[in-house]
Amino acid sequence: MNNPILLSNSWYFKPQFCQEDLSHFDADADCGGWQKVNLPHTVKELPFNCFSHDETAMISSYRKDFTIPAEAAGKRIILRFDGVMAYYDLYCNGIRIGDHRGGYSISFADITDAVRFGEVNHLFLKVDSTERNDIPPFGYIVDFLTYGGIYRDVFLYTTEQTYISNVLVRYRLEEDWSLTIYPEVFFHSYEAVHHEAAVRFRLIRQDGTTVFTHTASCSISEGESSLQTSPVSVGAVELWDIDSPVLYTLETELLIDGHAADSHSTKTGFRKTECTSHGFYLNGRKIKLRGANRHQCYPYVGYAMGRGVQRKDAEIIRYEMACNTVRTSHYMQSQYFLDRCDEIGLLVFEEIPGWHYIGGEVYQNVVMNDVKMMITMDYNHPSIFIWGVRLNESNDCPELYTRTNELAKRLDPDRATTGVRYFKGSELKEDVYAINDFCHKGPKREDVLQSQRQVTGLDHDVPYLVSEFCGHVYPCKPWDNENVREEHARMHARVQSRAACTDNIMGALAWCAFDYQTHGDYGSGDKICYHGVMDMFRMPKFASYLYRSQKDPDEEIVLETTSVFSRGEKGDNKVAPVIIMTNCDFIEVELYGNSIGRFYPSNNYVGLPHPPIEISTHDSFWIEVWQGAVITGFIGARKVAERRFVRDAKLTTLEAMADQTELSSEYADDTRVTLRFLDQEGNLLPYYPGIIQVACHGDIELRGPEIFPSMGGMSAFWIRTTAAGRPGTASVTIRTLNSDLPDQTIEFRIVSWE
Ligand code: GAL
């Protein structure tokens, strides 16, 4: 299977299901309550917060008309759904094809027998986005929302009657780091004849040069079969690493009677990962995993964000949070996200959907399918170093978890497995004991992390990972008082520092990267968990700068303060304590026009590559004339950064920046525009309550409301191309309704990437 057609444009959606729609193809789609939509799609847009958590729970319908050329007669027509929440029943031309349980797993549907070649065909999906207790993570209460609809892309493959359904690029790195490869190829044949065939492999470097070719014979019978090729030596290759994420493409051709019957192409990378009781090793080098958990939701549209935005999240975690690891909590995530993790060297802990509850037989069958689809679909991603094969924070369930772990090991003997616990002494069937350790609840230093043996109850060390910390024990909003935002950053600093200093902890993954929407059982009462080091718009809180400042200064100099040096915010008319998150060697601080000295990285966070700098005492009295502050960062004797804070800070600018200004005309391409209200020195004004209005011009549309407030002095909005197929330009106009700031316009180029 290769070169699928993206089938995500021009669907029709109805937020109900009517039996007669199944056979009522010729109805004018604009009638009968159908809305024209593009995928990814959500069944209902939600407000930012304060909505009912049931609003997206419904049975809805999707329709799509498409033509298969007459010349394709005799071929197989296969659909691939990357994500439909949470259950669908699929019909083609009124004929039922099948159903699928699970909102996060990729699914395939062979519709050949129902297709009319050379004619218009009618697809129909009845989609159930209620929280059914036969599908994980549902069954009890869950601390996140799952939304609903066809929220990822749909693809259409046209293949011969015998085709390659998948290729797992199995390999090993020898002691001299040379590569030995033994891909496993999976076939599906609808032909009664038995084929003596061959597969031809070609391994291609990023620059397009072929580094290796190999042909192996195989025999293919009707139904599903596979070929496990024998190991062959490729020789020296460039390894995939977090600092140099080198990728290769493996092309596989199926030759029947000497003719190419099918082909398959996959990107992959070669690296050695080891999860040990004394840490994590990548290609023999010990790396402390410093990362965050990611929920894949966005304001208004829930999960329904496309390629560009998924890729951007990986970039934010890697570059704006300087993390080396992400956990796809608590489910499989977009291929676009994983592809980008491969490209930029962000290690991934991927896990199956689940949250506390374990259901009955049907439910557990879905769990097993989730394990199978997660591993077979995502096997070739070099960034994935571990599979999570337990439902997050569920109780021990020896029978189920023996099966999930064994299945994972059968499909992928080389990658480590784990499962995330919240309680002590859990039975360990997987390779790595992962614990959500929320013991650190504030500045009491001794409670930073529990000891491994205290948690496992074992008398020896095992591979051990802190899979979550902080989260609900210290929520933080971008508009909270500085003290709260600062303590939030300090908590992350303490835990990451402790994890870094503790040899038998592979690393620590923050709960979490981004704020997320939730059920009424959790969060701040407005359906949001403010647990992110960034907000839901992916705008930074102080804590995210703690992460960002861990970068090598050669990559970026970071100097951020947890204060705007106003003396009325912290209480007691003091500007301190304050922490400066920086990768500078030291800073010089000027207050009231006078230098108050040099400050160096704190000894309280020695595990971090760049501990923050703490200024703990400095009194300033109410009666003195306030003069603002200047912070200057140095590397060696070189001045490399400066931040100025003025006495008379006032609203000066609305900074508006698009993540991407070139968008596709061919599919619904999303991108974000970030907004920050700044003073005359470029400092954020976190308490400025801007009312923003956005207008779109050209073939783009807004995803969310036209008028919205800033929160914490920041906001963002997403736009999407209408997939009109017309290259051209488009723009957004941004106005602040309650200020004199001038309107701004951002231009976008809409191009054809075909
Ligand atoms: C954990 C759970 C997460 C999230 C977090 C909040 O126990 O695994 O999904 O709810 O708590 O801090």
Side-chain angles (χ1 to χ4, degrees):
M1 289 162 78
N2 226 345
N3 302 324
I5 293 171
L6 180 69
L7 210 66
S8 293
N9 295 347
S10 305
W11 285 70
Y12 288 93
F13 169 74
K14 197 188 244 189
Q16 309 86 28
F17 169 70
C18 317
Q19 190 68 34
E20 54 274 22
D21 284 336
L22 279 177
S23 49
H24 204 208
F25 315 129
D26 50 354
D28 178 352
D30 291 331
C31 304
W34 292 100
Q35 306 155 25
K36 197 163 182 205
V37 300
N38 292 323
L39 309 182
H41 179 255
T42 184
V43 292
K44 186 170 182 205
E45 283 196 10
L46 296 175
F48 172 69
N49 61 357
C50 302
F51 47 80
S52 158
H53 56 214
D54 288 333
E55 287 187 38
T56 54
M58 61 178 85
I59 302 208
S60 59
S61 309
Y62 285 85
R63 268 183 61 174
K64 163 91 187 148
D65 293 345
F66 64 101
T67 310
I68 303 277
E71 308 81 73
K75 310 230 177 202
R76 307 238 41 109
I77 309 298
I78 299 160
L79 294 174
R80 167 177 158 152
F81 295 90
D82 272 13
V84 182
M85 184 58 69
Y87 167 91
Y88 70 75
D89 228 339
L90 174 68
Y91 297 80
C92 181
N93 298 325
I95 299 164
R96 185 164 185 274
I97 306 294
D99 64 351
H100 180 73
R101 279 186 177 76
Y104 302 98
S105 49
I106 292 172
S107 56
F108 293 90
D110 188 319
I111 56 170
T112 313
D113 295 342
V115 160
R116 299 185 200 130
F117 292 88
E119 290 177 39
V120 176
N121 291 275
H122 312 281
L123 271 190
F124 186 97
L125 269 86
K126 175 182 172 187
V127 173
D128 186 352
S129 54
T130 62
E131 301 192 352
R132 303 163 50 124
N133 63 8
D134 57 347
I135 298 177
F138 312 122
Y140 188 51
I141 48 177
V142 181
D143 170 27
F144 56 94
L145 293 189
T146 56
Y147 312 96
I150 311 181
Y151 76 90
R152 289 184 187 149
D153 280 326
V154 177
F155 299 92
L156 184 140
Y157 292 84
T158 303
T159 73
E160 299 298 335
Q161 292 292 329
T162 297
Y163 61 89
I164 300 172
S165 56
N166 200 8
V167 176
L168 305 185
V169 188
R170 301 195 187 280
Y171 67 90
R172 67 171 178 259
L173 290 164
E174 307 294 350
E175 264 179 22
D176 62 357
W177 298 103
S178 67
L179 175 71
T180 299
I181 196 170
Y182 40 101
E184 185 169 6
V185 186
F186 295 83
F187 308 103
H188 202 141
S189 178
Y190 285 85
E191 295 171 291
V193 290
H194 175 90
H195 292 294
E196 285 306 325
V199 281
R200 189 157 62 199
F201 300 108
R202 201 153 73 91
L203 188 64
I204 303 162
R205 261 209 322 240
Q206 258 159 331
D207 65 5
T209 49
T210 299
V211 292
F212 167 82
T213 53
H214 178 70
T215 305
S217 55
C218 59
S219 49
I220 305 175
S221 313
E222 193 176 2
E224 293 185 1
S225 57
S226 67
L227 164 72
Q228 176 55 75
T229 52
S230 309
V232 272
S233 169
V234 174
V237 285
E238 285 178 81
L239 299 184
W240 184 94
D241 207 298
I242 54 174
D243 300 326
S244 58
V246 179
L247 297 174
Y248 288 79
T249 301
L250 184 75
E251 291 196 343
T252 307
E253 234 180 350
L254 170 63
L255 303 168
I256 298 182
D257 301 328
H259 297 293
D262 194 18
S263 64
H264 181 278
S265 175
T266 182
K267 279 203 175 147
T268 195
F270 305 106
R271 83 283 178 277
K272 185 172 179 189
T273 58
E274 291 161 283
C275 298
T276 79
S277 57
H278 46 89
F280 173 76
Y281 293 78
L282 180 63
N283 302 328
R285 174 168 68 114
K286 188 166 183 174
I287 290 179
K288 192 58 80 168
L289 302 175
R290 190 177 60 237
N293 285 269
R294 175 198 186 227
H295 266 309
Q296 61 175 16
C297 58
Y298 299 85
Y300 319 123
V301 299
Y303 285 166
M305 282 290 184
R307 181 177 184 274
V309 176
Q310 299 293 334
R311 290 172 64 83
K312 181 70 189 175
D313 261 10
E315 290 165 15
I316 291 171
I317 295 169
R318 181 85 178 99
Y319 301 126
E320 293 179 35
M321 291 169 52
C323 287
N324 57 25
T325 308
V326 61
R327 171 174 170 226
T328 66
S329 52
H330 302 295
Y331 36 78
M332 294 82 84
Q333 299 192 354
S334 157
Q335 292 301 308
Y336 303 126
F337 177 76
L338 296 175
D339 285 347
R340 194 65 186 139
C341 292
D342 291 343
E343 292 167 9
I344 62 179
L346 181 61
L347 290 161
V348 178
F349 165 173
E350 188 170 41
E351 71 182 347
I352 52 169
W355 210 84
H356 286 246
Y357 176 80
I358 304 176
E361 193 184 336
V362 176
Y363 187 101
Q364 294 191 16
N365 289 341
V366 179
V367 172
M368 295 307 289
N369 186 58
D370 284 338
V371 173
K372 176 177 158 213
M373 293 313 287
M374 172 174 78
I375 297 180
T376 54
M377 291 295 101
D378 296 340
Y379 182 93
N380 297 331
H381 288 285
S383 55
I384 299 176
F385 72 102
I386 198 163
W387 304 118
V389 297
R390 283 174 66 120
L391 313 186
N392 174 62
E393 294 195 335
S394 54
N395 286 334
D396 286 347
C397 182
E399 193 274 332
L400 177 62
Y401 292 143
T402 302
R403 285 166 63 211
T404 58
N405 196 52
E406 280 178 3
L407 177 60
K409 288 292 172 194
R410 194 161 69 244
L411 295 170
D412 185 357
D414 299 322
R415 259 187 199 100
T417 55
T418 188
V420 169
R421 285 103 168 134
Y422 73 103
F423 59 94
K424 294 180 183 171
S426 167
E427 187 185 10
L428 180 63
K429 293 187 177 296
E430 310 83 35
D431 301 309
V432 174
Y433 196 111
I435 182 78
N436 292 343
D437 186 343
F438 290 102
C439 78
H440 184 51
K441 295 183 173 35
K444 270 175 62 197
R445 309 288 287 286
E446 62 274 21
D447 287 339
V448 173
L449 282 173
Q450 300 170 81
S451 81
Q452 151 160 184
R453 293 200 193 174
Q454 193 186 348
V455 170
T456 63
L458 300 171
D459 60 2
H460 59 280
D461 282 352
V462 293
Y464 182 88
L465 176 70
V466 175
S467 39
E468 294 180 26
F469 65 90
C470 206
H472 63 280
V473 300
Y474 206 85
C476 170
K477 305 178 190 71
W479 56 92
D480 271 334
N481 176 281
E482 261 181 19
N483 292 324
V484 174
R485 289 181 283 140
E486 179 183 309
E487 178 54 24
H488 186 230
R490 284 180 196 271
M491 287 178 71
H492 283 269
R494 288 187 205 104
V495 176
Q496 289 293 1
S497 172
R498 177 66 62 87
C501 293
T502 313
D503 208 38
N504 67 1
I505 298 182
M506 285 166 41
L509 313 181
W511 190 268
C512 54
F514 314 121
D515 293 347
Y516 56 99
Q517 291 166 335
T518 190
H519 291 85
D521 314 274
Y522 297 98
S524 293
D526 62 347
K527 309 288 163 35
I528 300 206
C529 282
Y530 294 95
H531 300 173
V533 299
M534 290 191 169
D535 70 12
M536 243 190 124
F537 298 91
R538 284 65 177 148
M539 298 300 283
K541 301 180 194 171
F542 286 161
S544 70
Y545 293 125
L546 180 275
Y547 286 88
R548 188 170 185 153
S549 63
Q550 302 314 312
K551 272 188 190 175
D552 191 320
D554 285 344
E555 203 183 330
E556 183 191 10
I557 305 276
V558 180
L559 195 164
E560 295 288 343
T561 67
T562 57
S563 177
V564 287
F565 293 89
S566 65
R567 64 181 167 195
E569 168 71 355
K570 294 224 183 239
D572 211 15
N573 293 333
K574 289 180 177 157
V575 293
V578 54
I579 60 172
I580 320 292
M581 292 156 297
T582 183
N583 48 9
C584 293
D585 291 345
F586 65 91
I587 55 170
E588 270 178 14
V589 179
E590 195 184 295
L591 281 179
Y592 319 113
N594 298 317
S595 169
I596 62 162
R598 284 189 172 179
F599 295 84
Y600 291 86
S602 164
N603 286 334
N604 291 328
Y605 315 96
V606 288
L608 294 176
H610 301 285
I613 295 174
E614 295 186 295
I615 303 175
S616 48
T617 52
H618 186 83
D619 292 340
S620 71
F621 297 102
W622 197 239
I623 50 168
E624 288 179 47
V625 178
W626 175 240
Q627 297 281 348
V630 183
I631 316 278
T632 310
F634 290 84
I635 290 186
R638 204 158 46 95
K639 174 176 159 180
V640 291
E642 185 184 83
R643 296 294 300 268
R644 304 184 78 87
F645 299 89
V646 291
R647 174 182 174 215
D648 186 22
K650 60 175 186 174
L651 175 64
T652 308
T653 319
L654 172 59
E655 177 199 79
M657 283 174 23
D659 286 343
Q660 226 177 299
T661 50
E662 196 160 280
L663 300 167
S664 169
S665 60
E666 306 299 323
Y667 60 90
D669 195 6
D670 304 298
T671 197
R672 178 184 66 156
V673 175
T674 58
L675 303 169
R676 297 194 317 140
F677 287 100
L678 306 177
D679 71 7
Q680 55 272 51
E681 289 292 352
N683 295 312
L684 184 74
L685 292 165
Y687 306 126
Y688 180 70
I691 308 290
I692 301 146
Q693 181 174 38
V694 177
C696 291
H697 318 280
D699 291 333
I700 55 173
E701 58 197 8
L702 200 56
R703 309 209 64 204
E706 274 171 34
I707 298 180
F708 50 88
S710 62
M711 289 177 273
M714 312 178 286
S715 195
F717 61 90
W718 284 265
I719 54 153
R720 161 178 278 196
T721 58
T722 53
R726 285 188 294 258
T729 56
S731 63
V732 290
T733 311
I734 304 157
R735 169 169 300 174
T736 311
L737 295 179
N738 56 343
S739 85
D740 295 332
L741 293 173
D743 291 359
Q744 296 190 49
T745 300
I746 299 183
E747 304 269 345
F748 297 91
R749 270 169 33 81
I750 312 230
V751 296
S752 170
W753 290 348
E754 293 292 279

